[in-house]
Amino acid sequence: MEEGVLPLEYIVIAIILLVAVILYGTFARRKIYNEIDRLEEWKIDILNRPVTDEISRVKGFTMSGQTEEKFEKWREEWDEIVAVKLPNLEEQLMDTEEAAEKYRFRKAKATLVETRERLEQIEKRIELMLEDINELVSSEEQNRTDIISVQEVFREAKQRLLSQNRSLGKAYPTLDADLDELKQNLKHYEQLTEEGNYLEARSVLMEIQERLTAVQDKIAVTPELIALVHTQIPAQLKELEDGTSAMASEGYVLDHLEIQDHIEQVESDLVRFESAIQKTEVQEMKTEIDSVRRSIEGLYDQLEAEVDARHLVTEKVEEIEHELFKTNSYLQDLQEETNVVQLSYRLEEQELNMIKDIELKISDMHIRFNAVREAVDGNQQAYTTLAETVLSLKEDLATIDHEMQIQKENLHMLRRDELKALDTIKDLKRKLIESRRMMKLSNLPGIPESYLDGYELAEDIIIELSERLSDVPLDIYQINEVLADAERAVEHSTEITKKLVEDAVLTERLIQFGNRYRGKHRSVDELLQKAEDHFRQYEYDDALSTAEAAIEKVDPQVLQTLKNDVREPVKS
C-alpha cells in the first residue's frame, strides 16, 4: 500500500513543477515581447522624426567655413543613425525575440538592456544635434536683426564724436581710435558672416554692442567732466580762496578749516583727473570728481557756518553784557536784602553758603565773558567755537538768575512764615478758649488730672511759641518746629475735651434712663451705683462703660439711640 502511494506523490509534484515552468516561461516571454514592442516603437519614432528638415534649415546660409563643417557633420551623423545604427538595433531586437522563444531569458534580458542603452545614446546625439542647429539658426537670425541697430548706433556715435570734437578735448583721439577699432570689428563681423561663421560672428557682434555702449557713455559724460575739471572746479577753488582771504581780513579765524591744504589737494587731483579723462577712464573719475565737489561744498558750508556764528556771537555778547549788568545789580539787591533780613531773622548756614556760591558763579561768569570778549576783539578763536561758549554762558547765566530768584523767595518766605505763625497762635488760643468754655458749660462735678495736664501742656507750648516770636534775630526754623508741636498739642486737647464732655453727658443720660429699672433689677441698680461713684470721682470713662453695661441688660436698642442723641449736639 505504501509502495503504491509514494510514486503518485512524485507524479503530482512533477506535474506541479511542469505547470510552474510553463507559467513562468509564458509570463517571462510576454514581458520580453512587451519590452521588444516598446523599443521597436521607440526606434520607429526616432526614424520618423523630421531631423532632415531641421538640418535643411541651414541650406539657405552661406555654405562655407563653420556652417559647411557643421552641416556635413550633422548630415553624416543622421545618415549613420538611419542607415547603420537603427538597422543594427532592428537585428538586435529580432535576436532578442528568437532567444525568448527558445527560453533563453537571461540572454534576451541582457540584449534588451544593451538595446535600450544604445537608443538612449542615439536620443542624446539627436538632442545635441538639434540644439546645435537651433543655436546656429538663432545666431544667424539675431545677427541679421542686431546688426541694423548696431550700425545705426555706430553712425550716431561717430556723428556725435565729430560734432563734439572741441568739447571732448584731449579725449577725442582716444574715443576716435575706439570707434575706428569698432569699425574694424564690424568689418570682421561681416567677413565672418560671409564665410558662414555665424556663431563666431555672434560673439564678435555682442562684444561690439557692449563696447559701443561704453563709448557712447564716454562721449556723453566726458564734456561735462572736462568742463568741471578745466573750468567749474578751478573757478570754485578761486572763489573759495578769495572768500577765505576776504574773511580772514575781516577778522575771521579759519586756520582750523585747513582750506588752503584742501585747495592744494584738489588742484593735485585735477591734474590726475585730466590725465585719466584723456585716457577716457571717465566712470572711475566721475565718482572721484563727485567726491571732490562734495568736499568743496562742505568747505563752503563751514565758511557759512563761521559767518552765522559771528552774527550770533556779536548779538549774544551784547545781550550777555547787558544781562550780566542786571545780574550784578540783582545780586547786590539780594545781598542787601539778606543783610536786612539777618537783623530780624537767623539764617541757616546753608542759605548763606548758597549766596556765596552764587557770588562765585557770577565772578566766574565775568572771567569767562571777558575771555570771549578778548577772543572776539583780538580775533583769537573761530566764531563757531566762540558761539558754543556764548550759548553756554547764556544757559549758565539763566541758571544763576533762577537760583537768585529762589533765594529771594526764601527770604520773603521768612516774613510769611512769621505772619503765619502769629495767625496760627491766635487760632490755637481760640481753640483752647472754646475747649475751656465747653468744659464750663457741661457743669461737670470735676475735671480729671490727666485732662488738665494735656491742657496745660498746650498752653505752655503756645506761651513758648509767643516768647520765641519776640526773639531778635528770629529763628523761624525753630519756630516752625515748635508751631507744629503746638498744633498737635491743641488738637489733642480739643479732641479730649469733646470726648470728656460727650462721655459725661451720655453717662448722665444713661443713669437717668436706667433709674426706672432699679427697683426691678438689682444688678442694674448695683451697676448704676458704681457708675455714679465713678462719675463723682471724675472717672468719666469708667462711669460710661459701667452705665452702658447696666443699660445693655435691660434695653440694648436704646443704648445706640442715646449715644447718637448726645454726640451730635456736642459735635455741632
Side-chain angles (χ1 to χ4, degrees):
M1 184 72 177
E2 293 179 359
E3 292 178 357
V5 172
L6 189 58
L8 181 59
E9 291 178 351
Y10 286 139
I11 292 171
V12 172
I13 292 172
I15 292 171
I16 293 173
L17 290 174
L18 180 60
V19 171
V21 170
I22 293 171
L23 290 174
Y24 171 74
T26 303
F27 175 76
R29 280 194 299 178
R30 182 180 299 173
K31 186 175 181 181
I32 291 172
Y33 290 156
N34 289 338
E35 182 65 12
I36 290 172
D37 292 340
R38 189 182 71 82
L39 296 178
E40 179 67 25
E41 291 176 359
W42 189 355
K43 179 181 71 66
I44 293 172
D45 176 67
I46 292 174
L47 187 61
N48 292 331
R49 291 181 189 174
V51 177
T52 303
D53 296 338
E54 290 294 322
I55 296 174
S56 299
R57 291 171 63 190
V58 302
K59 283 185 177 180
F61 300 168
T62 301
M63 280 298 168
S64 62
Q66 194 177 46
T67 302
E68 185 179 11
E69 291 176 6
K70 286 184 174 293
F71 178 78
E72 293 298 332
K73 175 186 174 185
W74 296 332
R75 188 172 63 180
E76 289 175 2
E77 192 170 359
W78 177 244
D79 288 345
E80 182 184 3
I81 291 173
V82 173
V84 179
K85 294 186 179 295
L86 290 180
N88 289 342
L89 289 177
E90 179 66 27
E91 293 179 5
Q92 198 168 13
L93 289 174
M94 292 175 64
D95 293 341
T96 303
E97 186 174 0
E98 183 180 349
E101 290 177 353
K102 296 178 179 180
Y103 293 95
R104 297 169 65 185
F105 299 128
R106 182 176 297 178
K107 180 180 179 181
K109 289 180 180 180
T111 306
L112 286 175
V113 171
E114 182 181 353
T115 304
R116 187 184 308 112
E117 291 176 350
R118 292 173 67 181
L119 281 170
E120 289 174 351
Q121 292 175 0
I122 293 172
E123 283 283 10
K124 290 181 180 178
R125 292 184 64 180
I126 293 173
E127 183 179 354
L128 293 173
M129 187 191 308
L130 294 176
E131 288 179 358
D132 209 5
I133 293 170
N134 287 330
E135 183 182 4
L136 180 61
V137 172
S138 175
S139 295
E140 192 278 336
E141 293 175 349
Q142 195 68 38
N143 286 349
R144 280 191 286 110
T145 302
D146 291 349
I147 189 60
I148 297 174
S149 61
V150 169
Q151 289 174 340
E152 180 64 27
V153 171
F154 178 83
R155 282 193 294 271
E156 291 176 358
K158 188 68 175 177
Q159 291 175 358
R160 189 171 184 181
L161 179 68
L162 293 173
S163 66
Q164 296 183 226
N165 183 0
R166 293 183 179 179
S167 62
L168 289 171
K170 294 180 181 180
Y172 174 82
T174 304
L175 294 171
D176 189 44
D178 288 343
L179 285 180
D180 286 343
E181 185 178 349
L182 288 174
K183 186 177 181 180
Q184 295 301 318
N185 289 346
L186 283 171
K187 290 181 179 180
H188 181 50
Y189 161 79
E190 292 172 356
Q191 181 182 352
L192 290 172
T193 303
E194 290 173 358
E195 293 173 352
N197 298 320
Y198 296 104
L199 294 176
E200 189 176 351
R202 181 64 189 161
S203 176
V204 171
L205 186 59
M206 291 176 67
E207 182 183 353
I208 292 172
Q209 285 179 307
E210 182 178 350
R211 291 185 58 189
L212 188 56
T213 300
V215 171
Q216 277 187 304
D217 292 341
K218 291 177 180 180
I219 293 173
V221 173
T222 300
E224 178 187 353
L225 297 184
I226 290 176
L228 287 170
V229 171
H230 286 180
T231 307
Q232 296 180 25
I233 293 179
Q236 286 181 321
L237 294 179
K238 183 66 169 60
E239 182 182 349
L240 190 64
E241 192 170 20
D242 293 344
T244 302
S245 299
M247 290 178 66
S249 64
E250 292 175 8
Y252 286 91
V253 178
L254 305 174
D255 295 342
H256 65 291
L257 299 180
E258 299 179 341
I259 292 179
Q260 190 58 42
D261 292 342
H262 284 291
I263 291 175
E264 292 175 1
Q265 179 61 50
V266 172
E267 289 174 343
S268 174
D269 290 337
L270 290 178
V271 175
R272 181 168 55 85
F273 294 160
E274 185 172 359
S275 175
I277 292 172
Q278 183 177 350
K279 298 175 184 177
T280 69
E281 298 170 354
V282 294
Q283 292 303 326
E284 299 83 351
M285 289 304 100
K286 188 176 186 305
T287 302
E288 290 196 46
I289 290 172
D290 288 342
S291 176
V292 167
R293 294 176 69 187
R294 286 194 296 271
S295 68
I296 293 174
E297 289 297 327
L299 292 175
Y300 275 114
D301 291 341
Q302 288 178 303
L303 290 178
E304 186 176 350
E306 287 294 332
V307 173
D308 294 340
R310 182 175 186 173
H311 177 72
L312 183 143
V313 169
T314 303
E315 178 184 344
K316 297 302 179 183
V317 162
E318 294 180 2
E319 291 181 7
I320 292 174
E321 187 173 19
H322 179 66
E323 290 174 5
L324 270 175
F325 178 78
K326 288 171 57 179
T327 301
N328 284 333
S329 177
Y330 198 92
L331 175 63
Q332 186 176 355
D333 291 343
L334 179 62
Q335 290 170 331
E336 292 175 358
E337 188 172 354
T338 301
N339 294 333
V340 172
V341 168
Q342 280 186 294
L343 297 176
S344 302
Y345 303 94
R346 192 182 72 82
L347 297 180
E348 288 191 341
E349 191 69 24
Q350 180 181 357
E351 293 188 358
L352 296 174
N353 289 336
M354 284 182 63
I355 296 175
K356 291 180 181 178
D357 185 54
I358 291 173
E359 292 175 3
L360 291 175
K361 287 181 179 179
I362 293 177
S363 175
D364 179 65
M365 287 289 294
H366 279 284
I367 294 173
R368 292 165 61 192
F369 176 75
N370 290 334
V372 170
R373 172 68 78 182
E374 290 177 5
V376 171
D377 295 340
N379 300 326
Q380 298 173 358
Q381 290 187 39
Y383 280 103
T384 48
T385 304
L386 289 173
E388 296 177 0
T389 305
V390 165
L391 292 175
S392 176
L393 281 171
K394 284 277 292 181
E395 184 177 345
D396 294 344
L397 193 57
T399 302
I400 292 173
D401 288 342
H402 180 66
E403 290 177 355
M404 287 196 294
Q405 185 64 35
I406 292 175
Q407 190 60 29
K408 198 164 189 177
E409 287 292 326
N410 290 338
L411 295 177
H412 294 168
M413 187 68 72
L414 295 173
R415 178 57 180 165
R416 287 198 293 270
D417 286 348
E418 180 187 7
L419 295 176
K420 179 183 175 182
L422 291 171
D423 291 340
T424 304
I425 289 174
K426 291 179 182 179
D427 186 58
L428 295 178
K429 287 180 177 180
R430 179 184 57 79
K431 288 182 178 180
L432 285 180
I433 291 172
E434 290 179 355
S435 296
R436 184 181 300 174
R437 178 173 171 273
M438 181 185 296
M439 190 67 70
K440 288 181 178 181
L441 293 175
S442 64
N443 295 320
L444 296 178
I447 299 176
E449 191 69 26
S450 59
Y451 170 79
L452 291 175
D453 292 342
Y455 187 87
E456 290 173 358
L457 175 62
E459 284 186 329
D460 292 342
I461 294 176
I462 290 175
I463 292 171
E464 179 188 355
L465 186 59
S466 298
E467 292 175 351
R468 285 184 177 274
L469 282 169
S470 61
D471 291 344
V472 178
L474 194 64
D475 191 342
I476 198 65
Y477 304 101
Q478 288 189 358
I479 287 175
N480 285 335
E481 293 178 1
V482 176
L483 183 63
D485 294 339
E487 287 177 326
R488 286 191 293 270
V490 170
E491 185 67 25
H492 177 71
S493 177
T494 301
E495 292 296 326
I496 292 297
T497 301
K498 288 182 179 180
K499 186 177 185 307
L500 185 64
V501 172
E502 287 176 358
D503 291 350
V505 173
L506 181 57
T507 302
E508 289 180 334
R509 295 280 184 87
L510 291 175
I511 292 173
Q512 292 172 2
F513 180 79
N515 286 335
R516 69 184 70 177
Y517 297 104
R518 282 185 162 183
K520 299 178 182 179
H521 301 279
R522 184 177 178 182
S523 60
V524 172
D525 179 58
E526 291 176 353
L527 287 172
L528 292 176
Q529 185 62 43
K530 290 181 180 179
E532 290 172 347
D533 292 340
H534 286 307
F535 193 86
R536 283 191 289 271
Q537 295 174 11
Y538 321 142
E539 298 170 353
Y540 301 112
D541 287 341
D542 294 339
L544 177 59
S545 61
T546 305
E548 286 178 344
I551 302 304
E552 186 75 25
K553 290 179 175 293
V554 292
D555 195 347
Q557 295 180 351
V558 80
L559 183 60
Q560 188 60 43
T561 303
L562 290 174
K563 286 183 179 180
N564 294 336
D565 291 343
V566 169
R567 286 176 178 166
E568 287 301 326
V570 171
K571 287 181 181 179
S572 61

